[in-house]
Amino acid sequence: MRERELRLALVCYGGVSLAVYMHGVTKEIWKLLRASRAARDGQPNGLSDSERVYYDMFGEVRRARLKLSVLVDIVAGSSAGGINAVFLSHAITTGQDFDCLTRLWLESADIDKLLDPAAAPATRFSKLYAEPIAWMANRRYQDLLAKVAPETRGEIRAKLSRLIRSRWFTPPFSGLSFTNALLRAFRRMADAPAGPPLLPPGLPFDLFVTVTDFPGHPERLRLHSPPEVIETEHRLTIGFHDSGNRLGRNLGAVPELALAARATASIPGGFPPFRLAEMDEALMVEPFDWPAREAFIARHFPTLDSEGRSADSITLIDGGVLDNAPFRAAIGALRNRPSNREVDRRFLFIDPTPGQSFFRIGPDAHDGTPGYLTTLFRSLSDIPREQPIRDNLEALHALSRRIRRLNYAREGMRPAVESAIDRAFGHTILLSRQTPGRLRRLRSEAHQVAARESGFIYPAYGQLKLSGVVEMIAELIIDLGRHGARMGGSSRVRDALWRHLRQFRVTQVEAPPAALADASPYVLFLRAFDIGFRVRRMRAVIRALSAIAAEMPDGSERETLEAVKLDLYALLTPFIQRYTPGFYGPEVAAAAALAHDNAAAALDAVSHALQLQSLDEATDARFVDVLSRLPTETRRQALIAYLGFPFFDVATLPLHQEDGLDEAEEIKIDRIAPNDSHFLRPGDATLRGVQFASFGAFFARSYRENDYLWGRLHAAERLIDIVFSTLPEEDRPPAAVSDRLKARLCGEILDAEEPKLKTVGSLIAELKQALGARLRGDEPSYPQPVHTPVPETTTAI
């Protein structure tokens, strides 16, 4: 039985009121994660509705001799998607209930609840003159109302009236009420029964939420002439990291998470910009501890002191203004990601309105020339917000192409490396059982042979490897010592480290004879700090064993080989833990804070904490023990991969050093969007929140119930497809099995939601009828949707 992890990096787009749809999607993802944990542990008790079907789906996967776990370890969100990203991340890392948030979305995401009491019309007669002015100014409102379902038309007209007659030239929605609602949601999650976190110990979790820094902050750019310039940057990402260490998971304090959710969704013109005073006021009503408030502010707003500003001046608006599809931070989080099993890495993004724009103003001329307001508004807001994600996808595709080239290069080198190892050691020594002492001697000799045979390439390789190790240490020291919070602090640390290394001749790259290696500053430095080489070497052994296993028939030998691979992955864990700042104690942080003045002390502190040579000894002993369980020829192949790794590394390090990826497989990209789902009804005719410039779901509970239900149904259909796509094509269940699981999922969701969703009973009845047709093998007849999808010329409110 092979073991594999399907790791999802989840990206949640903005979408205004379609946040309700995205809640349905993220809820279904949460249910898949719960079922995955239950399947991994063999504990189906306590699963509800669709979770039971996902549990059976994992059973279908196991029929293909694959034990699959699904994990979400990276989440990025913007605007409405940022709110869902925050809540899902909190549920994953704490094990708290996510189901309890549905009531929040259905009840609180309503115009009447969002309106600021001070902005709402005082009486039903307030600003009555505004209504006819609005209707006369833009008759398209009447066209939109004509497309609204008759049973909700009165409710929507009344709420539109209150919105139009609310206070003008100030945001109509209350930021404080929004913040209080977020804090109440976190309280509700904490009060509900909780389970264990939905991540294994040791696997870090990263959350990124985009906001727009309205006043902007200075960024120092280094040039040749002038030496540096200062520019104002408005893009800002609020990041949360949970190292998953043995002390327990901690993504961030609730006020920090609520701050990120509130700020990222500060829709310009809808909500007032976020200010810290608002959070302080909200915490007086919904109290939560915030012990690291000042540290949080210093980490995300490091230039306040140098600008002479106080924290009270922080002003944040909607993250979707400049970054509505936050792939960049999620891609960066892939570096040095630990894995103790085979990994199938996916980027999964939720796009509630593919191909549609949120805001459009004014009719264009008959010849297609945009009008004055159209040009102005789209240039300032719409076009920057709605840029396609081609650049992000190209970056991921380029990463996958580099991984493919790397694998091709390894395969091409393999015969030559095997020949070199046989010449150096002879065929018989690799067939015999090893001891830790012999393994260390062979390893040293293999490195000498690789250095000698690579000739003039070796110094370049050595410099490249050295620079990578120094950069890793520099990033660690900058993080631990919080040098990034000071203008130019990062550069000062790097300069101090390189001065120290040049002073002690560490930069004089050489491959001395084995007898003199202990006297080489370069070799001693790598022994003390080079985590990456050790990790890459062990992964090379695992790849070699995976290639052997792929050619084996099922049986006891393959079972043994898969068990050995898991043990080798376990040997990687302590090395990879040393990449993360959470591994290091306060003594290292104290030395790191002074690294710009005393680089030697900082390096000594890091080296003492790493203890790599002691770890090497323990790893060698365990590695020898694991290899002894392999058949003779398989053991020989593993040793060739291990001892031959310096040859491979000399040739391939330039291909992947900048990526820093431990997951050496191609990265695939999946999407969940209405247009991708057709099992019960064509998905592009399902959502109602797209109306009124994507504010539609704020105007009627029935709209919210409709979109939430479709979010669950669309996600369920797509998640089945995504999970089955992890299997080789020849091992995937037939379409009939997939359709049967989808039908069961839809049935469970409809049965679970029918008692709770009081305004969409007719929709549920229609969907059950379509589901029955599916189960009978008939083609379902799709009822006419109750609204027409809004064209791209939607008028903004």
Side-chain angles (χ1 to χ4, degrees):
M1 182 73 69
R2 293 166 293 152
E3 294 201 24
R4 182 180 300 163
E5 290 178 351
L6 172 58
R7 290 192 183 178
L8 303 176
L10 185 65
V11 179
C12 304
Y13 285 17
V16 196
S17 77
L18 291 166
V20 182
Y21 171 78
M22 285 186 279
H23 169 67
V25 174
T26 52
K27 179 173 177 176
E28 207 57 29
I29 293 172
W30 174 74
K31 285 181 167 293
L32 173 67
L33 299 181
R34 279 174 48 85
S36 174
R37 185 186 62 195
R40 184 175 64 246
D41 298 339
Q43 297 290 335
N45 296 331
L47 299 181
S48 62
D49 56 77
S50 61
E51 296 166 5
R52 294 189 289 264
V53 185
Y54 291 129
Y55 185 91
D56 293 343
M57 174 195 65
F58 286 111
E60 292 291 340
V61 174
R62 290 174 74 96
R63 294 179 189 275
R65 306 290 295 169
L66 178 65
K67 185 176 182 181
L68 182 71
S69 298
V70 181
L71 306 169
V72 172
D73 64 334
I74 301 172
V75 179
S78 179
S79 193
I83 303 175
N84 284 286
V86 168
F87 281 126
L88 178 63
S89 300
H90 188 61
I92 289 172
T93 55
T94 62
Q96 291 181 7
D97 184 49
F98 190 75
D99 194 26
C100 63
L101 296 178
T102 301
R103 180 180 167 190
L104 167 79
W105 285 108
L106 297 181
E107 294 182 357
S108 299
D110 187 274
I111 286 290
D112 287 344
K113 297 288 182 66
L114 296 173
L115 272 177
D116 188 338
T123 71
R124 62 192 181 94
F125 301 108
S126 298
K127 285 187 186 172
L128 281 179
Y129 62 84
E131 288 195 55
I133 292 174
W135 306 141
M136 290 171 59
N138 197 334
R139 293 183 179 276
R140 201 169 293 170
Y141 282 125
Q142 300 286 8
D143 296 335
L144 286 174
L145 281 173
K147 298 171 184 176
V148 168
E151 64 271 15
T152 60
R153 197 168 294 159
E155 177 188 3
I156 292 176
R157 179 182 285 276
K159 290 179 179 177
L160 265 174
S161 172
R162 285 193 286 276
L163 180 63
I164 292 169
R165 293 184 295 111
S166 65
R167 184 177 57 195
W168 290 358
F169 307 114
T170 58
F173 302 147
S174 169
L176 180 61
S177 297
F178 185 11
T179 303
N180 281 329
L182 293 170
L183 292 173
R184 285 196 300 273
F186 282 110
R187 181 75 66 191
R188 184 174 295 171
M189 291 179 71
D191 291 342
L198 297 176
L199 285 171
L203 181 62
F205 184 93
D206 287 284
L207 165 66
F208 303 99
V209 180
T210 65
V211 297
T212 302
D213 184 358
F214 189 76
H217 53 276
E219 288 285 349
R220 187 184 301 267
L221 305 179
R222 304 184 72 172
L223 308 178
H224 173 259
S225 175
E228 63 182 26
V229 296
I230 305 296
E231 289 198 346
T232 301
E233 175 65 78
H234 295 273
R235 291 174 300 178
L236 182 64
T237 299
I238 299 178
F240 301 89
H241 178 76
D242 173 9
S243 63
N245 60 33
R246 60 184 180 276
L247 300 178
R249 293 196 169 273
N250 180 24
L251 186 61
V254 164
E256 297 168 2
L257 296 169
L259 181 156
R262 160 67 177 93
T264 192
S266 298
I267 304 169
F271 288 100
F274 175 79
R275 306 291 295 270
L276 275 175
E278 179 182 295
M279 179 58 68
D280 294 335
E281 184 177 353
L283 290 174
M284 297 176 66
V285 178
E286 301 287 342
F288 281 93
D289 292 334
W290 194 3
R293 181 182 188 273
E294 301 308 317
F296 176 83
I297 294 170
R299 184 167 70 252
H300 290 98
F301 307 95
T303 62
L304 286 177
D305 291 340
S306 61
E307 296 176 72
R309 295 196 295 140
S310 69
D312 294 334
S313 66
I314 294 171
T315 305
L316 305 176
I317 62 173
D318 194 289
V321 172
L322 296 177
D323 192 358
N324 198 49
F327 277 85
R328 182 183 303 176
I331 294 173
L334 293 176
R335 290 179 61 87
N336 300 323
R337 211 80 190 166
S339 58
N340 56 10
R341 286 168 177 79
E342 293 179 9
V343 171
D344 186 339
R345 166 61 71 185
R346 307 290 181 93
F347 266 69
L348 174 62
F349 66 98
I350 305 172
D351 185 357
T353 55
Q356 285 192 25
S357 179
F358 286 117
F359 306 113
R360 295 290 175 89
I361 275 192
D364 294 339
H366 292 298
D367 62 357
T369 303
Y372 171 74
L373 287 178
T374 301
T375 303
L376 180 64
F377 188 84
R378 294 205 67 210
S379 298
L380 294 176
S381 178
D382 190 27
I383 291 177
R385 186 185 188 102
E386 297 300 325
Q387 280 304 288
I389 60 172
R390 183 181 64 248
D391 292 345
N392 298 303
L393 299 189
E394 278 299 319
L396 288 171
H397 290 318
L399 197 57
S400 290
R401 286 195 294 270
R402 289 197 293 275
I403 292 171
R404 281 198 298 271
R405 288 201 301 269
L406 189 64
N407 291 332
Y408 293 152
R410 292 192 187 110
E411 286 304 311
M413 290 179 61
R414 191 174 306 281
V417 172
E418 291 185 6
S419 177
I421 294 297
D422 278 340
R423 288 196 308 271
F425 303 115
H427 187 80
T428 57
I429 194 171
L430 299 183
L431 298 177
S432 60
R433 292 184 179 271
Q434 302 298 319
T435 65
R438 178 186 288 177
L439 184 69
R440 283 192 290 273
R441 178 177 61 80
L442 293 176
R443 185 170 64 210
S444 178
E445 292 177 10
H447 201 101
Q448 296 296 318
V449 173
R452 183 172 62 251
E453 296 200 5
S454 60
F456 65 87
I457 296 176
Y458 186 83
Y461 158 75
Q463 288 288 357
L464 187 63
K465 182 163 68 166
L466 176 66
S467 65
V469 175
V470 174
E471 181 59 25
M472 184 275 291
I473 298 170
E475 290 181 357
L476 179 66
I477 289 175
I478 289 167
D479 195 338
L480 291 172
R482 294 186 49 217
H483 293 277
R486 298 187 286 275
M487 291 290 285
S490 300
S491 298
R492 293 176 64 192
V493 169
R494 287 182 171 87
D495 291 344
L497 288 175
W498 280 111
R499 278 197 307 271
H500 174 79
L501 297 177
R502 283 191 291 268
Q503 178 183 352
F504 288 91
R505 298 186 300 112
V506 174
T507 55
Q508 296 181 14
V509 175
E510 56 185 345
L516 301 178
D518 290 340
S520 166
Y522 167 72
V523 173
L524 292 175
F525 179 81
L526 294 181
R527 286 180 181 175
F529 293 102
D530 193 357
I531 304 171
F533 182 85
R534 294 158 165 97
V535 171
R536 296 194 301 273
R537 182 175 59 200
M538 190 62 71
R539 292 201 183 281
V541 178
I542 295 171
R543 280 194 300 272
L545 295 181
S546 294
I548 295 171
E551 302 298 324
M552 279 186 173
D554 292 340
S556 59
E557 285 194 11
R558 181 162 182 172
E559 294 281 357
T560 299
L561 197 52
E562 295 294 342
V564 165
K565 285 169 53 183
L566 290 178
D567 287 341
L568 295 181
Y569 274 119
L571 292 180
L572 284 172
T573 301
F575 289 101
I576 295 173
Q577 286 174 342
R578 285 159 167 76
Y579 280 126
T580 61
F583 175 81
Y584 302 88
E587 301 84 1
V588 181
L594 303 174
H596 56 290
D597 290 328
N598 193 344
L603 286 171
D604 287 343
V606 173
S607 174
H608 180 74
L610 286 172
Q611 294 289 313
L612 285 185
Q613 295 187 55
S614 298
L615 183 57
D616 283 341
E617 293 177 4
T619 303
D620 286 345
R622 181 63 181 146
F623 183 59
V624 167
D625 179 61
V626 171
L627 288 184
S628 68
R629 292 153 47 195
L630 294 173
T632 302
E633 181 56 30
T634 305
R635 183 169 66 246
R636 175 179 175 274
Q637 292 296 324
L639 279 171
I640 287 175
Y642 183 83
L643 298 175
F645 178 72
F647 294 85
F648 290 107
D649 208 43
V650 168
T652 61
L653 183 63
L655 293 177
H656 71 90
Q657 188 201 33
E658 292 302 315
D659 300 331
L661 295 184
D662 284 332
E663 304 165 359
E665 301 299 326
E666 295 181 37
I667 298 169
K668 304 180 184 70
I669 306 166
D670 297 302
R671 182 179 79 168
I672 295 178
N675 295 10
D676 305 327
S677 306
H678 304 87
F679 189 71
L680 289 181
R681 179 188 288 179
D684 56 0
T686 54
L687 302 189
R688 297 188 179 184
V690 296
Q691 294 187 2
F692 302 105
S694 296
F695 280 78
F698 292 154
F699 286 97
R701 172 155 183 148
S702 63
Y703 277 23
R704 295 192 292 279
E705 291 189 357
N706 175 88
D707 290 2
Y708 158 71
L709 179 63
W710 278 114
R712 289 199 65 184
L713 293 170
H714 289 166
E717 177 182 347
R718 293 290 296 123
L719 291 174
I720 289 282
D721 294 335
I722 290 169
V723 169
F724 281 163
S725 72
T726 62
L727 295 170
E729 193 165 348
E730 62 274 12
D731 292 337
R732 292 175 192 171
V737 173
S738 176
D739 286 349
R740 186 167 63 247
L741 287 170
K742 289 177 182 178
R744 286 184 56 201
L745 273 174
C746 293
E748 290 281 2
I749 291 171
L750 294 174
D751 287 343
E753 298 296 350
E754 188 171 19
K756 306 172 188 175
L757 305 182
K758 303 298 185 182
T759 65
V760 290
S762 60
L763 171 65
I764 292 176
E766 290 170 356
L767 294 178
K768 284 189 171 184
Q769 184 177 359
L771 183 59
R774 278 280 186 189
L775 293 174
R776 292 191 302 270
D778 302 332
E779 186 67 24
S781 59
Y782 301 119
Q784 182 67 26
V786 294
H787 77 281
T788 303
V790 180
E792 290 195 338
T793 54
T794 298
T795 301
I797 295 175

